[in-house]
Amino acid sequence: MNTLTNKRVLLGVSGSIAAYKSPDIVRRLQDLGAEVRVIVTDGGKEFVSERSLQTISKNKVHSNLWDKEAELAMGHIELAKWSDIVIIAPASANTIAKLCHGRADDLLSTVILATDAKVMLAPSMNQQMYASKAMKDNLKILLKRGIVIIEPGFGEQACGDVGEGRLAEALDIANQAADLFTSTSLSGKKVLITLGGTIEAIDPVRYISNHSSGKMGMALAHQCIQAGAKTTLIIGSISIDIEKRAEVIHIVSADEMYEAVMKRIESQDLFICCAAVADFRPKNVSHNKIKKNNSPVTIELTENKDILASVCQLSKRPICIGFAAESENFIVNARAKLESKACEAIILNDISQSEIGLNSDKNEVHFITKEHCEKIEKNSKQIIAEKIIEKITNYYF
Ligand code: PMT
């Protein structure tokens, strides 16, 4: 599958102010499963310390082509052979020009000449420099050679100018690197995913909701898209960026999520219910803000429709995968849900620990079917999503 599991990424950091963002790029690449080594040029060192990059990458940082000891430990040819992909981020105007001319006057440019790995560049420079004819010509030459260019962003720059030339976001760089290792296991399939929390109004000001961030669902969306699926997201309340390549429907309440799912379910091949849907909503929503009057307020609740169970009852339905967020009796409760919802599989996550499950970057889950109960060890939600989609495609497609 995609992501960067078991992939060896060599990150080249060259001389641009955006080099200070490179430790975050290392992190995002690691989140996707990559082992990362870093080469920093002399220019790069002006903006980021080798110590930061070494601490975050957990590997010695490489910088000097002529360092005898470094060459003995892992020389430029070994580095070039070691890499599955070389990403230069930020790529300065000077580094881009050097690559165009095939120069080999420092470690990074030498490794680029010596590698047969995929190469990606994320340019970062002043907008006028980026718009210059020389830069455009250089990028065209590199594109023709098969080097992947990650477009810079538009906006205010460190120098005060506004324009195109800001380094792409760290997460986009990592995701685009992972895209180069794409699989086609869900090619041509349609996937519908619910994610985030639902919001159930009490009055015009207050509501009942939960802490779902949408991270798990969005990681699954990314994996499905990577695997070639046409992916639709029904999104409740979330606190993360939305996967740009998905079709997106925003909803607020469980009722709206139900309607949005039912409208689209017939044409789907796979339905993943990752949302934290409120089981109950206030029976009556007050039109006016409820006032304090020194007596206790009672809110009567009524049950929401169960979206997953309703889909599983349909005569023509997709493969259905549910989630179970549990804080005790984990496997027993998850198995009970598998049976009551009548879905193909339940993915159990433990929400009693703060560093996994709800609203965290990591997770640890069990993939439970009638016949199997398989643990997926603690990891970033991207890697957990990769392994879940791998199991789903192996079992059902
Ligand atoms: O968003 P994150 O911060 O990344 O956190 C991810 C998560 C913990 C929210 C997610 O991994 C998860 O566990 N989602 C399901 C949470 C939940 O509400 O579980 P449940 O046991 O209440 O529901 C079981 C299943 O039925 C779920 O698939 C749920 O989407 C579905 N359901 C529940 C109630 C309802 N009315 N309709 C439903 O479809």
Side-chain angles (χ1 to χ4, degrees), residues 21 118 254:
K21 298 179 182 170
K118 301 167 199 286

Side-chain angles (χ1 to χ4, degrees), residues 123-132 135-136 139 149-157 159 161-167:
S124 170
M125 66 199 73
N126 166 269
Q127 52 87 23
Q128 197 71 50
M129 290 167 74
Y130 186 68
S132 69
M135 178 54 57
K136 296 291 174 219
L139 289 174
I149 314 286
I150 306 176
E151 297 287 322
F154 183 95
E156 192 175 348
Q157 302 196 297
C159 57
D161 280 9
V162 175
E164 206 178 1
R166 284 163 59 111
L167 181 66

Side-chain angles (χ1 to χ4, degrees), residues 212-214 216 273-275 305 308 323 337 341 349 359 381:
S212 173
S213 61
M216 191 66 244
C273 238
C274 190
K305 284 178 222 156
L308 177 58
F323 270 77
K337 264 175 200 160
K341 311 258 179 188
N349 38 201
N359 196 18
K381 282 187 174 168

Side-chain angles (χ1 to χ4, degrees), residues 88 91-105 108-110 112-113 119 121 125 133-147 149:
I88 308 185
S92 67
N94 184 47
T95 295
I96 289 170
K98 281 208 297 194
L99 299 191
C100 269
H101 290 281
R103 296 197 57 174
D105 60 353
L108 182 58
S109 53
T110 307
I112 295 289
L113 278 186
V119 178
L121 294 183
M125 66 199 73
K133 181 85 175 67
M135 178 54 57
K136 296 291 174 219
D137 286 350
N138 285 348
L139 289 174
K140 264 189 214 149
I141 291 171
L142 294 179
L143 269 173
K144 261 198 202 153
R145 287 186 201 153
I147 289 181
I149 314 286

